[in-house]
Amino acid sequence: MLKHIFLTILLLSGTAQAADDILTLDRSVSGSFQSSFPNDNNIQPDISDFKVINTVLMSNEIGERWAVLTVENLASGQRTLNQNHLLGLFANGERMTPHTFKIKFSANELLSITIAFGESKFPILEVYPRN
């Protein structure tokens, strides 16, 4: 009997732990959101020909932060988007590049991509490029 109870508890704790890594959509601020966090180190993304059309932010119980972005290549030629072209602004004012990625865009192409920012106890407020 005690062995059965122990196995049940073990299975339930494993199920709860597995659910911790499921991503959920983060609530976002409707309308135009403007922040004024200081940027003393002048952290900026690399200049590019990309525009972020929209962003869906996601996270999970263990603090992983992800974003689904719809990105447009504004150039009339092929361009490659990588992690250095984007910055995530977090709720504590920290700016971070996403994990390493590289995606080729055709001229004027519009693509949706999913990128990871690692773990943080603070949510992402916005993801932006620099033109």
Side-chain angles (χ1 to χ4, degrees):
M1 177 73 170
L2 185 59
K3 183 179 178 182
H4 180 67
I5 292 171
F6 177 73
L7 285 174
T8 302
I9 291 171
L10 186 61
L11 285 172
L12 289 175
S13 66
T15 303
Q17 187 175 11
D20 289 347
D21 64 354
I22 295 171
L23 292 170
T24 59
L25 297 178
D26 292 340
R27 257 182 97 170
S28 61
V29 179
S30 60
S32 68
F33 172 77
Q34 185 174 6
S35 64
S36 295
F37 288 106
N39 190 359
D40 297 334
N41 295 326
N42 196 27
I43 299 170
Q44 299 286 336
D46 289 351
I47 294 174
S48 70
D49 293 315
F50 295 101
K51 177 181 179 182
V52 174
I53 304 301
N54 58 48
T55 306
V56 176
L57 302 173
M58 301 177 294
S59 63
N60 60 26
E61 301 260 342
I62 58 177
E64 292 176 328
R65 306 295 172 193
W66 292 76
V68 177
L69 307 174
T70 301
V71 179
E72 182 178 12
N73 174 15
L74 301 175
S76 57
Q78 183 181 37
R79 297 287 186 271
T80 301
L81 176 70
N82 68 47
Q83 69 281 354
N84 297 318
H85 295 123
L86 298 169
L87 274 183
L89 176 64
F90 287 72
N92 63 346
E94 184 178 6
R95 290 161 173 86
M96 291 187 347
T97 58
H99 287 180
T100 304
F101 73 92
K102 184 193 269 189
I103 300 173
K104 288 186 181 182
F105 283 72
S106 299
N108 304 305
E109 186 173 23
L110 189 72
L111 287 176
S112 292
I113 61 172
T114 303
I115 56 175
F117 281 89
E119 290 183 18
S120 174
K121 71 178 188 176
F122 292 96
I124 301 171
L125 298 177
E126 64 178 316
V127 179
Y128 60 93
R130 186 172 114 193
N131 302 97

PDB file of all heavy atoms in Angstrom, residues 95-131:
ATOM      1  N   ARG A  95      18.056  44.827 -21.458  1.00  0.00           N
ATOM      2  CA  ARG A  95      17.933  44.559 -22.893  1.00  0.00           C
ATOM      3  C   ARG A  95      18.797  43.346 -23.218  1.00  0.00           C
ATOM      4  O   ARG A  95      19.965  43.316 -22.853  1.00  0.00           O
ATOM      5  CB  ARG A  95      18.384  45.775 -23.696  1.00  0.00           C
ATOM      6  CG  ARG A  95      17.430  46.932 -23.566  1.00  0.00           C
ATOM      7  CD  ARG A  95      18.077  48.258 -23.965  1.00  0.00           C
ATOM      8  NE  ARG A  95      17.113  49.335 -23.996  1.00  0.00           N
ATOM      9  CZ  ARG A  95      16.766  50.056 -22.929  1.00  0.00           C
ATOM     10  NH1 ARG A  95      17.315  49.809 -21.763  1.00  0.00           N
ATOM     11  NH2 ARG A  95      15.878  51.030 -23.036  1.00  0.00           N
ATOM     12  N   MET A  96      18.185  42.376 -23.911  1.00  0.00           N
ATOM     13  CA  MET A  96      18.912  41.145 -24.243  1.00  0.00           C
ATOM     14  C   MET A  96      18.657  40.737 -25.679  1.00  0.00           C
ATOM     15  O   MET A  96      17.541  40.899 -26.187  1.00  0.00           O
ATOM     16  CB  MET A  96      18.475  39.990 -23.330  1.00  0.00           C
ATOM     17  CG  MET A  96      18.899  40.167 -21.906  1.00  0.00           C
ATOM     18  SD  MET A  96      18.603  38.760 -20.784  1.00  0.00           S
ATOM     19  CE  MET A  96      17.534  37.663 -21.615  1.00  0.00           C
ATOM     20  N   THR A  97      19.699  40.193 -26.312  1.00  0.00           N
ATOM     21  CA  THR A  97      19.520  39.606 -27.637  1.00  0.00           C
ATOM     22  C   THR A  97      18.941  38.202 -27.458  1.00  0.00           C
ATOM     23  O   THR A  97      19.162  37.560 -26.433  1.00  0.00           O
ATOM     24  CB  THR A  97      20.857  39.500 -28.405  1.00  0.00           C
ATOM     25  OG1 THR A  97      21.767  38.717 -27.631  1.00  0.00           O
ATOM     26  CG2 THR A  97      21.448  40.861 -28.689  1.00  0.00           C
ATOM     27  N   PRO A  98      18.202  37.738 -28.453  1.00  0.00           N
ATOM     28  CA  PRO A  98      17.693  36.360 -28.372  1.00  0.00           C
ATOM     29  C   PRO A  98      18.827  35.355 -28.573  1.00  0.00           C
ATOM     30  O   PRO A  98      19.954  35.724 -28.925  1.00  0.00           O
ATOM     31  CB  PRO A  98      16.687  36.290 -29.524  1.00  0.00           C
ATOM     32  CG  PRO A  98      17.018  37.417 -30.424  1.00  0.00           C
ATOM     33  CD  PRO A  98      17.741  38.449 -29.629  1.00  0.00           C
ATOM     34  N   HIS A  99      18.497  34.081 -28.349  1.00  0.00           N
ATOM     35  CA  HIS A  99      19.468  33.021 -28.626  1.00  0.00           C
ATOM     36  C   HIS A  99      19.828  33.042 -30.107  1.00  0.00           C
ATOM     37  O   HIS A  99      19.087  33.570 -30.938  1.00  0.00           O
ATOM     38  CB  HIS A  99      18.894  31.667 -28.252  1.00  0.00           C
ATOM     39  CG  HIS A  99      18.811  31.459 -26.765  1.00  0.00           C
ATOM     40  ND1 HIS A  99      18.326  30.308 -26.212  1.00  0.00           N
ATOM     41  CD2 HIS A  99      19.150  32.241 -25.711  1.00  0.00           C
ATOM     42  CE1 HIS A  99      18.366  30.389 -24.902  1.00  0.00           C
ATOM     43  NE2 HIS A  99      18.856  31.557 -24.569  1.00  0.00           N
ATOM     44  N   THR A 100      20.934  32.447 -30.442  1.00  0.00           N
ATOM     45  CA  THR A 100      21.462  32.449 -31.803  1.00  0.00           C
ATOM     46  C   THR A 100      20.467  31.864 -32.805  1.00  0.00           C
ATOM     47  O   THR A 100      19.898  30.787 -32.584  1.00  0.00           O
ATOM     48  CB  THR A 100      22.770  31.635 -31.859  1.00  0.00           C
ATOM     49  OG1 THR A 100      23.678  32.182 -30.910  1.00  0.00           O
ATOM     50  CG2 THR A 100      23.390  31.667 -33.235  1.00  0.00           C
ATOM     51  N   PHE A 101      20.266  32.596 -33.907  1.00  0.00           N
ATOM     52  CA  PHE A 101      19.466  32.115 -35.030  1.00  0.00           C
ATOM     53  C   PHE A 101      19.904  32.871 -36.279  1.00  0.00           C
ATOM     54  O   PHE A 101      20.557  33.910 -36.206  1.00  0.00           O
ATOM     55  CB  PHE A 101      17.951  32.291 -34.784  1.00  0.00           C
ATOM     56  CG  PHE A 101      17.476  33.718 -34.884  1.00  0.00           C
ATOM     57  CD1 PHE A 101      17.009  34.240 -36.083  1.00  0.00           C
ATOM     58  CD2 PHE A 101      17.512  34.550 -33.776  1.00  0.00           C
ATOM     59  CE1 PHE A 101      16.578  35.555 -36.177  1.00  0.00           C
ATOM     60  CE2 PHE A 101      17.082  35.864 -33.855  1.00  0.00           C
ATOM     61  CZ  PHE A 101      16.615  36.372 -35.055  1.00  0.00           C
ATOM     62  N   LYS A 102      19.539  32.343 -37.434  1.00  0.00           N
ATOM     63  CA  LYS A 102      19.854  32.976 -38.721  1.00  0.00           C
ATOM     64  C   LYS A 102      18.792  32.559 -39.720  1.00  0.00           C
ATOM     65  O   LYS A 102      18.581  31.369 -39.944  1.00  0.00           O
ATOM     66  CB  LYS A 102      21.221  32.527 -39.201  1.00  0.00           C
ATOM     67  CG  LYS A 102      21.687  33.205 -40.476  1.00  0.00           C
ATOM     68  CD  LYS A 102      22.895  32.513 -41.087  1.00  0.00           C
ATOM     69  CE  LYS A 102      24.174  33.099 -40.566  1.00  0.00           C
ATOM     70  NZ  LYS A 102      25.351  32.588 -41.314  1.00  0.00           N
ATOM     71  N   ILE A 103      18.099  33.564 -40.309  1.00  0.00           N
ATOM     72  CA  ILE A 103      17.027  33.281 -41.263  1.00  0.00           C
ATOM     73  C   ILE A 103      17.177  34.203 -42.470  1.00  0.00           C
ATOM     74  O   ILE A 103      17.291  35.421 -42.311  1.00  0.00           O
ATOM     75  CB  ILE A 103      15.630  33.492 -40.628  1.00  0.00           C
ATOM     76  CG1 ILE A 103      15.467  32.552 -39.436  1.00  0.00           C
ATOM     77  CG2 ILE A 103      14.529  33.283 -41.651  1.00  0.00           C
ATOM     78  CD1 ILE A 103      14.229  32.780 -38.632  1.00  0.00           C
ATOM     79  N   LYS A 104      17.160  33.598 -43.671  1.00  0.00           N
ATOM     80  CA  LYS A 104      17.259  34.391 -44.906  1.00  0.00           C
ATOM     81  C   LYS A 104      15.876  34.850 -45.340  1.00  0.00           C
ATOM     82  O   LYS A 104      14.923  34.083 -45.305  1.00  0.00           O
ATOM     83  CB  LYS A 104      17.907  33.573 -46.021  1.00  0.00           C
ATOM     84  CG  LYS A 104      19.380  33.360 -45.803  1.00  0.00           C
ATOM     85  CD  LYS A 104      20.020  32.673 -46.982  1.00  0.00           C
ATOM     86  CE  LYS A 104      21.497  32.477 -46.689  1.00  0.00           C
ATOM     87  NZ  LYS A 104      22.177  31.858 -47.798  1.00  0.00           N
ATOM     88  N   PHE A 105      15.797  36.101 -45.745  1.00  0.00           N
ATOM     89  CA  PHE A 105      14.579  36.697 -46.265  1.00  0.00           C
ATOM     90  C   PHE A 105      14.819  37.122 -47.707  1.00  0.00           C
ATOM     91  O   PHE A 105      15.865  37.700 -48.011  1.00  0.00           O
ATOM     92  CB  PHE A 105      14.225  37.974 -45.476  1.00  0.00           C
ATOM     93  CG  PHE A 105      13.605  37.749 -44.132  1.00  0.00           C
ATOM     94  CD1 PHE A 105      14.354  37.260 -43.071  1.00  0.00           C
ATOM     95  CD2 PHE A 105      12.277  38.063 -43.911  1.00  0.00           C
ATOM     96  CE1 PHE A 105      13.789  37.088 -41.824  1.00  0.00           C
ATOM     97  CE2 PHE A 105      11.700  37.888 -42.661  1.00  0.00           C
ATOM     98  CZ  PHE A 105      12.459  37.401 -41.616  1.00  0.00           C
ATOM     99  N   SER A 106      13.869  36.878 -48.560  1.00  0.00           N
ATOM    100  CA  SER A 106      13.908  37.415 -49.924  1.00  0.00           C
ATOM    101  C   SER A 106      13.550  38.894 -49.864  1.00  0.00           C
ATOM    102  O   SER A 106      13.095  39.398 -48.838  1.00  0.00           O
ATOM    103  CB  SER A 106      12.911  36.674 -50.813  1.00  0.00           C
ATOM    104  OG  SER A 106      13.235  35.311 -50.890  1.00  0.00           O
ATOM    105  N   ALA A 107      13.720  39.578 -50.974  1.00  0.00           N
ATOM    106  CA  ALA A 107      13.382  40.997 -51.054  1.00  0.00           C
ATOM    107  C   ALA A 107      11.922  41.211 -50.650  1.00  0.00           C
ATOM    108  O   ALA A 107      11.036  40.488 -51.109  1.00  0.00           O
ATOM    109  CB  ALA A 107      13.607  41.511 -52.472  1.00  0.00           C
ATOM    110  N   ASN A 108      11.682  42.150 -49.755  1.00  0.00           N
ATOM    111  CA  ASN A 108      10.340  42.527 -49.303  1.00  0.00           C
ATOM    112  C   ASN A 108       9.530  41.371 -48.703  1.00  0.00           C
ATOM    113  O   ASN A 108       8.307  41.465 -48.623  1.00  0.00           O
ATOM    114  CB  ASN A 108       9.563  43.194 -50.432  1.00  0.00           C
ATOM    115  CG  ASN A 108      10.311  44.388 -50.977  1.00  0.00           C
ATOM    116  OD1 ASN A 108      10.670  45.287 -50.225  1.00  0.00           O
ATOM    117  ND2 ASN A 108      10.577  44.387 -52.273  1.00  0.00           N
ATOM    118  N   GLU A 109      10.180  40.302 -48.292  1.00  0.00           N
ATOM    119  CA  GLU A 109       9.479  39.142 -47.751  1.00  0.00           C
ATOM    120  C   GLU A 109       9.011  39.384 -46.318  1.00  0.00           C
ATOM    121  O   GLU A 109       9.673  40.052 -45.530  1.00  0.00           O
ATOM    122  CB  GLU A 109      10.386  37.907 -47.788  1.00  0.00           C
ATOM    123  CG  GLU A 109       9.684  36.631 -47.365  1.00  0.00           C
ATOM    124  CD  GLU A 109      10.543  35.398 -47.560  1.00  0.00           C
ATOM    125  OE1 GLU A 109      11.782  35.504 -47.598  1.00  0.00           O
ATOM    126  OE2 GLU A 109       9.954  34.312 -47.659  1.00  0.00           O
ATOM    127  N   LEU A 110       7.877  38.785 -45.984  1.00  0.00           N
ATOM    128  CA  LEU A 110       7.273  38.844 -44.660  1.00  0.00           C
ATOM    129  C   LEU A 110       7.251  37.425 -44.107  1.00  0.00           C
ATOM    130  O   LEU A 110       6.700  36.527 -44.755  1.00  0.00           O
ATOM    131  CB  LEU A 110       5.856  39.400 -44.791  1.00  0.00           C
ATOM    132  CG  LEU A 110       5.086  39.759 -43.549  1.00  0.00           C
ATOM    133  CD1 LEU A 110       5.661  41.022 -42.917  1.00  0.00           C
ATOM    134  CD2 LEU A 110       3.627  40.003 -43.909  1.00  0.00           C
ATOM    135  N   LEU A 111       7.874  37.202 -42.936  1.00  0.00           N
ATOM    136  CA  LEU A 111       7.914  35.870 -42.332  1.00  0.00           C
ATOM    137  C   LEU A 111       7.587  35.946 -40.857  1.00  0.00           C
ATOM    138  O   LEU A 111       7.933  36.923 -40.184  1.00  0.00           O
ATOM    139  CB  LEU A 111       9.313  35.253 -42.452  1.00  0.00           C
ATOM    140  CG  LEU A 111       9.784  34.763 -43.799  1.00  0.00           C
ATOM    141  CD1 LEU A 111      11.227  34.286 -43.712  1.00  0.00           C
ATOM    142  CD2 LEU A 111       8.895  33.636 -44.287  1.00  0.00           C
ATOM    143  N   SER A 112       6.970  34.894 -40.335  1.00  0.00           N
ATOM    144  CA  SER A 112       6.792  34.755 -38.889  1.00  0.00           C
ATOM    145  C   SER A 112       7.854  33.798 -38.379  1.00  0.00           C
ATOM    146  O   SER A 112       8.100  32.746 -38.996  1.00  0.00           O
ATOM    147  CB  SER A 112       5.400  34.223 -38.556  1.00  0.00           C
ATOM    148  OG  SER A 112       4.432  35.196 -38.867  1.00  0.00           O
ATOM    149  N   ILE A 113       8.486  34.169 -37.274  1.00  0.00           N
ATOM    150  CA  ILE A 113       9.556  33.364 -36.686  1.00  0.00           C
ATOM    151  C   ILE A 113       9.329  33.250 -35.185  1.00  0.00           C
ATOM    152  O   ILE A 113       8.699  34.109 -34.578  1.00  0.00           O
ATOM    153  CB  ILE A 113      10.956  33.969 -36.968  1.00  0.00           C
ATOM    154  CG1 ILE A 113      11.064  35.370 -36.361  1.00  0.00           C
ATOM    155  CG2 ILE A 113      11.235  34.021 -38.464  1.00  0.00           C
ATOM    156  CD1 ILE A 113      12.462  35.969 -36.424  1.00  0.00           C
ATOM    157  N   THR A 114       9.840  32.183 -34.603  1.00  0.00           N
ATOM    158  CA  THR A 114       9.777  31.993 -33.156  1.00  0.00           C
ATOM    159  C   THR A 114      11.201  32.000 -32.628  1.00  0.00           C
ATOM    160  O   THR A 114      12.050  31.248 -33.109  1.00  0.00           O
ATOM    161  CB  THR A 114       9.089  30.656 -32.817  1.00  0.00           C
ATOM    162  OG1 THR A 114       7.786  30.649 -33.412  1.00  0.00           O
ATOM    163  CG2 THR A 114       8.957  30.470 -31.319  1.00  0.00           C
ATOM    164  N   ILE A 115      11.455  32.874 -31.643  1.00  0.00           N
ATOM    165  CA  ILE A 115      12.812  33.006 -31.101  1.00  0.00           C
ATOM    166  C   ILE A 115      12.786  32.886 -29.580  1.00  0.00           C
ATOM    167  O   ILE A 115      11.794  33.227 -28.929  1.00  0.00           O
ATOM    168  CB  ILE A 115      13.481  34.332 -31.520  1.00  0.00           C
ATOM    169  CG1 ILE A 115      12.634  35.531 -31.112  1.00  0.00           C
ATOM    170  CG2 ILE A 115      13.753  34.335 -33.017  1.00  0.00           C
ATOM    171  CD1 ILE A 115      13.296  36.875 -31.401  1.00  0.00           C
ATOM    172  N   ALA A 116      13.881  32.399 -29.020  1.00  0.00           N
ATOM    173  CA  ALA A 116      14.011  32.193 -27.574  1.00  0.00           C
ATOM    174  C   ALA A 116      14.935  33.243 -26.974  1.00  0.00           C
ATOM    175  O   ALA A 116      15.930  33.640 -27.594  1.00  0.00           O
ATOM    176  CB  ALA A 116      14.569  30.801 -27.300  1.00  0.00           C
ATOM    177  N   PHE A 117      14.609  33.675 -25.774  1.00  0.00           N
ATOM    178  CA  PHE A 117      15.428  34.637 -25.045  1.00  0.00           C
ATOM    179  C   PHE A 117      16.030  34.051 -23.775  1.00  0.00           C
ATOM    180  O   PHE A 117      16.611  34.775 -22.982  1.00  0.00           O
ATOM    181  CB  PHE A 117      14.594  35.866 -24.672  1.00  0.00           C
ATOM    182  CG  PHE A 117      14.400  36.817 -25.810  1.00  0.00           C
ATOM    183  CD1 PHE A 117      13.321  36.678 -26.667  1.00  0.00           C
ATOM    184  CD2 PHE A 117      15.284  37.859 -26.034  1.00  0.00           C
ATOM    185  CE1 PHE A 117      13.128  37.558 -27.713  1.00  0.00           C
ATOM    186  CE2 PHE A 117      15.105  38.740 -27.083  1.00  0.00           C
ATOM    187  CZ  PHE A 117      14.029  38.590 -27.925  1.00  0.00           C
ATOM    188  N   GLY A 118      15.874  32.775 -23.539  1.00  0.00           N
ATOM    189  CA  GLY A 118      16.409  32.183 -22.317  1.00  0.00           C
ATOM    190  C   GLY A 118      15.465  32.379 -21.147  1.00  0.00           C
ATOM    191  O   GLY A 118      14.277  32.622 -21.325  1.00  0.00           O
ATOM    192  N   GLU A 119      16.026  32.289 -19.930  1.00  0.00           N
ATOM    193  CA  GLU A 119      15.215  32.383 -18.725  1.00  0.00           C
ATOM    194  C   GLU A 119      15.384  33.735 -18.046  1.00  0.00           C
ATOM    195  O   GLU A 119      16.480  34.280 -18.005  1.00  0.00           O
ATOM    196  CB  GLU A 119      15.591  31.275 -17.743  1.00  0.00           C
ATOM    197  CG  GLU A 119      15.174  29.904 -18.204  1.00  0.00           C
ATOM    198  CD  GLU A 119      15.484  28.824 -17.184  1.00  0.00           C
ATOM    199  OE1 GLU A 119      15.700  29.135 -16.006  1.00  0.00           O
ATOM    200  OE2 GLU A 119      15.510  27.650 -17.594  1.00  0.00           O
ATOM    201  N   SER A 120      14.291  34.253 -17.529  1.00  0.00           N
ATOM    202  CA  SER A 120      14.296  35.495 -16.762  1.00  0.00           C
ATOM    203  C   SER A 120      13.068  35.504 -15.870  1.00  0.00           C
ATOM    204  O   SER A 120      12.008  35.016 -16.265  1.00  0.00           O
ATOM    205  CB  SER A 120      14.257  36.713 -17.690  1.00  0.00           C
ATOM    206  OG  SER A 120      14.127  37.908 -16.937  1.00  0.00           O
ATOM    207  N   LYS A 121      13.210  36.066 -14.678  1.00  0.00           N
ATOM    208  CA  LYS A 121      12.022  36.193 -13.835  1.00  0.00           C
ATOM    209  C   LYS A 121      11.169  37.378 -14.270  1.00  0.00           C
ATOM    210  O   LYS A 121      10.027  37.507 -13.867  1.00  0.00           O
ATOM    211  CB  LYS A 121      12.389  36.288 -12.359  1.00  0.00           C
ATOM    212  CG  LYS A 121      13.045  37.555 -11.923  1.00  0.00           C
ATOM    213  CD  LYS A 121      13.303  37.499 -10.426  1.00  0.00           C
ATOM    214  CE  LYS A 121      13.786  38.823  -9.898  1.00  0.00           C
ATOM    215  NZ  LYS A 121      13.936  38.793  -8.446  1.00  0.00           N
ATOM    216  N   PHE A 122      11.710  38.243 -15.131  1.00  0.00           N
ATOM    217  CA  PHE A 122      10.969  39.387 -15.637  1.00  0.00           C
ATOM    218  C   PHE A 122      10.433  39.095 -17.033  1.00  0.00           C
ATOM    219  O   PHE A 122      11.135  38.520 -17.863  1.00  0.00           O
ATOM    220  CB  PHE A 122      11.859  40.631 -15.690  1.00  0.00           C
ATOM    221  CG  PHE A 122      12.242  41.126 -14.331  1.00  0.00           C
ATOM    222  CD1 PHE A 122      13.450  40.763 -13.763  1.00  0.00           C
ATOM    223  CD2 PHE A 122      11.386  41.943 -13.604  1.00  0.00           C
ATOM    224  CE1 PHE A 122      13.801  41.209 -12.506  1.00  0.00           C
ATOM    225  CE2 PHE A 122      11.722  42.396 -12.351  1.00  0.00           C
ATOM    226  CZ  PHE A 122      12.941  42.021 -11.787  1.00  0.00           C
ATOM    227  N   PRO A 123       9.204  39.500 -17.335  1.00  0.00           N
ATOM    228  CA  PRO A 123       8.644  39.270 -18.672  1.00  0.00           C
ATOM    229  C   PRO A 123       9.239  40.215 -19.708  1.00  0.00           C
ATOM    230  O   PRO A 123       9.779  41.274 -19.377  1.00  0.00           O
ATOM    231  CB  PRO A 123       7.149  39.554 -18.482  1.00  0.00           C
ATOM    232  CG  PRO A 123       7.073  40.450 -17.302  1.00  0.00           C
ATOM    233  CD  PRO A 123       8.234  40.105 -16.419  1.00  0.00           C
ATOM    234  N   ILE A 124       9.126  39.816 -20.970  1.00  0.00           N
ATOM    235  CA  ILE A 124       9.521  40.670 -22.088  1.00  0.00           C
ATOM    236  C   ILE A 124       8.400  41.676 -22.323  1.00  0.00           C
ATOM    237  O   ILE A 124       7.229  41.316 -22.373  1.00  0.00           O
ATOM    238  CB  ILE A 124       9.747  39.843 -23.371  1.00  0.00           C
ATOM    239  CG1 ILE A 124      10.831  38.800 -23.169  1.00  0.00           C
ATOM    240  CG2 ILE A 124      10.089  40.757 -24.544  1.00  0.00           C
ATOM    241  CD1 ILE A 124      10.958  37.809 -24.309  1.00  0.00           C
ATOM    242  N   LEU A 125       8.760  42.949 -22.487  1.00  0.00           N
ATOM    243  CA  LEU A 125       7.777  43.983 -22.780  1.00  0.00           C
ATOM    244  C   LEU A 125       7.660  44.213 -24.275  1.00  0.00           C
ATOM    245  O   LEU A 125       6.571  44.494 -24.779  1.00  0.00           O
ATOM    246  CB  LEU A 125       8.145  45.280 -22.080  1.00  0.00           C
ATOM    247  CG  LEU A 125       8.190  45.246 -20.568  1.00  0.00           C
ATOM    248  CD1 LEU A 125       8.637  46.602 -20.024  1.00  0.00           C
ATOM    249  CD2 LEU A 125       6.839  44.849 -19.994  1.00  0.00           C
ATOM    250  N   GLU A 126       8.804  44.150 -24.970  1.00  0.00           N
ATOM    251  CA  GLU A 126       8.790  44.369 -26.427  1.00  0.00           C
ATOM    252  C   GLU A 126      10.053  43.793 -27.049  1.00  0.00           C
ATOM    253  O   GLU A 126      11.053  43.584 -26.368  1.00  0.00           O
ATOM    254  CB  GLU A 126       8.647  45.847 -26.776  1.00  0.00           C
ATOM    255  CG  GLU A 126       9.793  46.726 -26.327  1.00  0.00           C
ATOM    256  CD  GLU A 126       9.624  48.180 -26.738  1.00  0.00           C
ATOM    257  OE1 GLU A 126       9.238  48.454 -27.898  1.00  0.00           O
ATOM    258  OE2 GLU A 126       9.888  49.042 -25.901  1.00  0.00           O
ATOM    259  N   VAL A 127       9.979  43.520 -28.343  1.00  0.00           N
ATOM    260  CA  VAL A 127      11.125  43.082 -29.134  1.00  0.00           C
ATOM    261  C   VAL A 127      11.221  44.037 -30.309  1.00  0.00           C
ATOM    262  O   VAL A 127      10.223  44.287 -30.991  1.00  0.00           O
ATOM    263  CB  VAL A 127      10.951  41.630 -29.635  1.00  0.00           C
ATOM    264  CG1 VAL A 127      12.149  41.202 -30.476  1.00  0.00           C
ATOM    265  CG2 VAL A 127      10.745  40.672 -28.454  1.00  0.00           C
ATOM    266  N   TYR A 128      12.416  44.581 -30.532  1.00  0.00           N
ATOM    267  CA  TYR A 128      12.530  45.619 -31.561  1.00  0.00           C
ATOM    268  C   TYR A 128      13.855  45.533 -32.327  1.00  0.00           C
ATOM    269  O   TYR A 128      14.860  45.069 -31.797  1.00  0.00           O
ATOM    270  CB  TYR A 128      12.370  46.999 -30.933  1.00  0.00           C
ATOM    271  CG  TYR A 128      13.390  47.344 -29.868  1.00  0.00           C
ATOM    272  CD1 TYR A 128      14.563  48.020 -30.191  1.00  0.00           C
ATOM    273  CD2 TYR A 128      13.205  46.973 -28.535  1.00  0.00           C
ATOM    274  CE1 TYR A 128      15.501  48.338 -29.228  1.00  0.00           C
ATOM    275  CE2 TYR A 128      14.128  47.288 -27.572  1.00  0.00           C
ATOM    276  CZ  TYR A 128      15.286  47.963 -27.919  1.00  0.00           C
ATOM    277  OH  TYR A 128      16.213  48.265 -26.954  1.00  0.00           O
ATOM    278  N   PRO A 129      13.841  45.993 -33.590  1.00  0.00           N
ATOM    279  CA  PRO A 129      15.054  46.096 -34.409  1.00  0.00           C
ATOM    280  C   PRO A 129      15.553  47.545 -34.393  1.00  0.00           C
ATOM    281  O   PRO A 129      14.992  48.396 -33.687  1.00  0.00           O
ATOM    282  CB  PRO A 129      14.556  45.729 -35.799  1.00  0.00           C
ATOM    283  CG  PRO A 129      13.177  46.320 -35.815  1.00  0.00           C
ATOM    284  CD  PRO A 129      12.647  46.175 -34.403  1.00  0.00           C
ATOM    285  N   ARG A 130      16.566  47.820 -35.173  1.00  0.00           N
ATOM    286  CA  ARG A 130      17.046  49.193 -35.368  1.00  0.00           C
ATOM    287  C   ARG A 130      17.241  49.393 -36.863  1.00  0.00           C
ATOM    288  O   ARG A 130      17.974  48.671 -37.506  1.00  0.00           O
ATOM    289  CB  ARG A 130      18.356  49.426 -34.613  1.00  0.00           C
ATOM    290  CG  ARG A 130      18.823  50.860 -34.665  1.00  0.00           C
ATOM    291  CD  ARG A 130      19.993  51.058 -33.745  1.00  0.00           C
ATOM    292  NE  ARG A 130      21.166  51.371 -34.521  1.00  0.00           N
ATOM    293  CZ  ARG A 130      22.396  51.372 -34.064  1.00  0.00           C
ATOM    294  NH1 ARG A 130      22.652  51.008 -32.827  1.00  0.00           N
ATOM    295  NH2 ARG A 130      23.400  51.680 -34.834  1.00  0.00           N
ATOM    296  N   ASN A 131      16.574  50.398 -37.405  1.00  0.00           N
ATOM    297  CA  ASN A 131      16.684  50.668 -38.851  1.00  0.00           C
ATOM    298  C   ASN A 131      17.642  51.818 -39.095  1.00  0.00           C
ATOM    299  O   ASN A 131      17.855  52.666 -38.295  1.00  0.00           O
ATOM    300  CB  ASN A 131      15.307  51.013 -39.437  1.00  0.00           C
ATOM    301  CG  ASN A 131      14.322  49.904 -39.191  1.00  0.00           C
ATOM    302  OD1 ASN A 131      13.550  49.965 -38.246  1.00  0.00           O
ATOM    303  ND2 ASN A 131      14.358  48.881 -39.993  1.00  0.00           N
TER     304      ASN A 131
END
